[in-house]
Amino acid sequence: MRHVIALDVGGTGMKAALVGASGELLHQARRPTGRERGPDAVVEGILDFAAELHAYGAEHLGEPASAAGIAVPGIVDADQGVARYAANLGWRDVPLRALLTERLAVPVALGHDVRTGGLAEGRIGAGQGADRFFFVPLGTGIAGAIGIGGRVEAGAHGFAGEIGHIVVRPGGTPCPCGQSGCLERYASAAAVSEAWAAAAGDPEADAADCAKAVESGDPRAQAVWQHAIDALADGLVTALTLLDPSTLIIGGGLAEAGETLFTPLRDAVQQRITFQKLPSVVPAALGDTAGCLGAGLLAWDLLTTTDGMEVTP
């Protein structure tokens, strides 16, 4: 069965799959990233993992993979195939595409993790059918993916969609990016966890605990939650003013709270808009498989030219 290799590399773990032409997951695997062993060891682990997947496909699916796609965090030069910088992995200017191409002897696509996840959500997930969408995962930080006509916009320098570093509270909490008052310092899952741990007097409490406390009517949790929603709505209205998407897709850890998040968030966005058109605000559909599925889509895209004819790898 014809297939491609898909790899989604995170700060602590790697998700991988062999993906068929219709997006079906034919084989899945996970393993630790191994960042504690250093940046070179992480790269070698990726290459070994990809080679194992290549061998598995040849043995169990009747032929080796036709291409590979890999999604990584940090600053990514997709055109050159280079991971420019990833703080959590200790990377600078890693030529991942060239290294994987040499190891696998197939075409390889490299993408940014959030934009790659956004590509999957746009084509086969919550944004399916939307010509323009904005995907925002609320995790340790906050990033975004701008979807336009079936692709995701990277920007001139690879920074498009970085909504987490819109300043929503001028002069507020310092951010590692060098600014103060950035959205992700108030509305990320990490920010909510930190605020709720302080309010509850429990250093182990996290954002999921805060959501449960909101549902039970705890006023301290409701205050923390509303503080985050207000900041998030401010950032989202800025984004929709600039981008005018038809759909806002919210994912990541906070989105797992369901309507505990989405009902007040929709209300907060509605209250802030004036001339702007209110987009649909919907939860992401693909969960933690989005990055892997998106990497598979990148790989399949390599095998198709602009006129729809397949390219022989």
Side-chain angles (χ1 to χ4, degrees):
M1 181 177 291
R2 196 152 189 241
H3 62 278
V4 297
I5 295 168
L7 278 164
D8 179 16
V9 179
T12 58
M14 295 188 284
K15 296 181 283 290
L18 299 180
V19 183
S22 299
E24 65 272 29
L25 297 173
L26 305 173
H27 171 68
Q28 297 183 71
R30 298 187 183 218
R31 67 176 50 175
T33 302
R35 64 180 180 178
E36 69 281 356
R37 295 183 289 119
D40 292 340
V42 172
V43 172
E44 194 58 39
I46 291 169
L47 297 177
D48 289 344
F49 198 12
E52 290 172 21
L53 292 161
H54 195 258
Y56 182 96
E59 180 179 353
H60 295 276
L61 299 178
E63 61 178 296
S66 300
I70 178 169
V72 299
I75 299 171
V76 178
D77 185 337
D79 290 338
Q80 297 300 315
V82 176
R84 293 295 181 195
Y85 177 71
N88 287 339
L89 299 177
W91 284 353
R92 283 192 180 276
D93 296 327
V94 178
L96 272 178
R97 184 172 66 195
L99 293 170
L100 278 166
T101 299
E102 181 180 2
R103 179 68 69 92
L104 302 176
V106 299
V108 175
L110 176 68
H112 180 269
D113 56 353
V114 172
R115 288 195 290 271
T116 302
L119 179 69
E121 284 288 353
R123 287 197 194 173
I124 60 177
Q128 192 170 8
D131 185 58
R132 283 172 170 76
F133 67 88
F134 190 46
F135 169 58
V136 183
L138 308 173
T140 303
I142 300 177
I146 303 166
I148 303 172
R151 64 180 182 84
V152 172
E153 174 60 46
H157 306 97
F159 301 140
E162 289 290 348
I163 186 177
H165 297 289
I166 288 176
V167 173
V168 294
R169 300 292 180 265
T173 304
C175 180
C177 79
Q179 301 183 120
S180 294
C182 288
L183 175 61
E184 71 174 37
R185 303 302 296 156
Y186 298 91
S188 64
V192 173
S193 293
E194 183 179 347
W196 176 235
D202 179 2
E204 300 300 318
D206 62 12
D209 297 323
C210 185
K212 291 175 185 175
V214 169
E215 292 161 8
S216 69
D218 187 316
R220 299 170 304 165
Q222 290 172 340
V224 168
W225 199 251
Q226 191 62 49
H227 185 62
I229 284 173
D230 286 341
L232 181 56
D234 289 342
L236 289 175
V237 169
T238 297
L240 68 89
T241 302
L242 292 171
L243 303 174
D244 189 26
S246 60
T247 306
L248 280 173
I249 305 168
I250 310 297
L254 281 192
E256 294 176 8
E259 288 306 311
T260 300
L261 173 72
F262 283 93
T263 296
L265 179 60
R266 291 186 187 105
D267 289 343
V269 172
Q270 174 74 71
Q271 291 167 12
R272 284 162 171 76
I273 62 172
T274 55
F275 66 90
Q276 305 93 333
K277 295 295 184 182
L278 182 67
S280 299
V281 182
V282 300
L286 302 177
D288 71 352
T289 65
C292 208
L293 288 167
L297 290 172
L298 290 178
W300 280 112
D301 284 353
L302 281 180
L303 301 176
T304 307
T305 63
T306 54
D307 63 2
M309 299 297 291
E310 287 189 347
V311 177
T312 302

